[in-house]
Amino acid sequence: MTHDILCIGSVLWDVIGRTKIEMHIGSDQPGRISRLPGGVAMNIAMTFSRFGLKPALITAIGHDHEGDDLMFRAGEMGMVTEYVYRSPELPTDRYMAIEGPAGLVAALADAHSLEAAGDAILTPLEDGTLGSADAPYSGIIALDGNLTVDLLTEIADRPSFAKADLRVAPASPGKARRLRPLLGHAGATLYVNLEEAGLLTDSTPETAPMGAQALLDAGATRVVVTDGGNLCAEGHKDRGVITAPCPSIRVRRITGAGDTFMAAHIAAERDGQSPENALITAQKIAAKYVSGEDV
């Protein structure tokens, strides 16, 4: 196999503005602006690469200068890009965010090209390149909620995904409900924050363990729920709910923290760590990331 894990979803450019000054609506403050490879699938893939794993990208990237640059950067980081769908008619997607000292102030995600590409990005999993309905892909797939509701609903029932170890994350709270069709997938693990757990279950859980239990009650096989600097929880229909604390740190960045947590958790489990230790490892690595340290 030429890769260790598939990362399906958004791969784009993150344009992030950060300032140490408190921001309000209408604020105009000095700060730093950076452009980095981003998107949920890319953030997860980059973390895997830092752990010495080889991720393969399943996504849509435009046939434009920004897309060429993004493909080059992905290759530089050791990612497999041969399965990427590239259309000359679609521009490369972008994400723009402003972060203040208290965290995220506002963000916009322009992932319209990924949505427009639809199931064309999944061709390698259907035509026998990586799998098919008759020979389903059986490895780990990190899947993000930037895909359309229709496509996520199809994936939940597609024979080509029936044997996959699906690790699923919403792209944002606003897209959390898109994951509902995957609640019933026997091989799916959903990674959500407390707000997203509430949106998926039409409830208002006060803690991550409560959110995990609500998702299990809604039919999920396995879930992982984070809650910022508070306890996180993993819930499994057969094992119940376990928790892990978050180390106390100074917040220096937010964008990509959830994706880093998810990738760290998957990598820890892949290394054979117990459910309890994998959860603790993911919390520690995500905390390092948020504090501005390299992970």
Side-chain angles (χ1 to χ4, degrees), residues 76-88:
E76 270 193 326
M77 289 184 281
M79 300 174 193
V80 177
T81 60
E82 63 185 276
Y83 311 121
V84 172
Y85 175 76
R86 303 197 68 189
S87 169

Side-chain angles (χ1 to χ4, degrees), residues 10-25:
S10 60
V11 174
L12 42 72
W13 284 111
D14 273 345
V15 180
I16 312 295
R18 294 187 175 95
T19 180
K20 297 179 180 179
I21 303 170
E22 187 176 353
M23 299 283 288
H24 304 284
I25 293 176

Side-chain angles (χ1 to χ4, degrees), residues 40 44 143-145 152 166-183 188-203 205 207-216 218 220 222-235 242 257-263 265-266 279 282-283:
V40 176
I44 292 169
L143 175 69
D144 87 52
L152 289 168
L166 271 180
R167 307 298 182 101
V168 189
S172 65
K175 296 179 179 179
R177 290 190 175 95
R178 293 187 181 192
L179 303 188
R180 279 181 173 168
L182 292 161
L183 276 173
T189 300
L190 271 63
Y191 291 78
V192 298
N193 63 31
L194 186 60
E195 179 185 0
E196 293 158 351
L199 290 168
L200 275 167
T201 58
D202 292 323
S203 64
T207 65
M210 292 173 65
Q213 188 59 57
L215 285 162
L216 295 179
R222 187 180 183 223
V223 298
V224 179
V225 182
T226 58
D227 184 19
N230 302 313
L231 281 177
C232 72
E234 184 221 303
I242 60 174
D259 308 329
T260 299
F261 174 95
M262 178 177 171
H265 186 257
I266 294 170
L279 207 57
Q283 280 280 66

Side-chain angles (χ1 to χ4, degrees), residues 214-258:
L215 285 162
L216 295 179
D217 292 342
T221 297
R222 187 180 183 223
V223 298
V224 179
V225 182
T226 58
D227 184 19
N230 302 313
L231 281 177
C232 72
E234 184 221 303
H236 190 284
K237 69 173 185 178
D238 297 327
R239 296 195 305 266
V241 177
I242 60 174
T243 64
C246 179
S248 178
I249 50 93
R250 181 179 178 182
V251 176
R252 295 185 182 276
R253 57 182 173 184
I254 298 296
T255 301

Side-chain angles (χ1 to χ4, degrees), residues 110-129:
D110 182 354
H112 292 90
S113 291
L114 179 64
E115 294 186 359
D119 67 355
I121 69 169
L122 302 180
T123 299
L125 287 159
E126 300 287 352
D127 66 3
T129 302

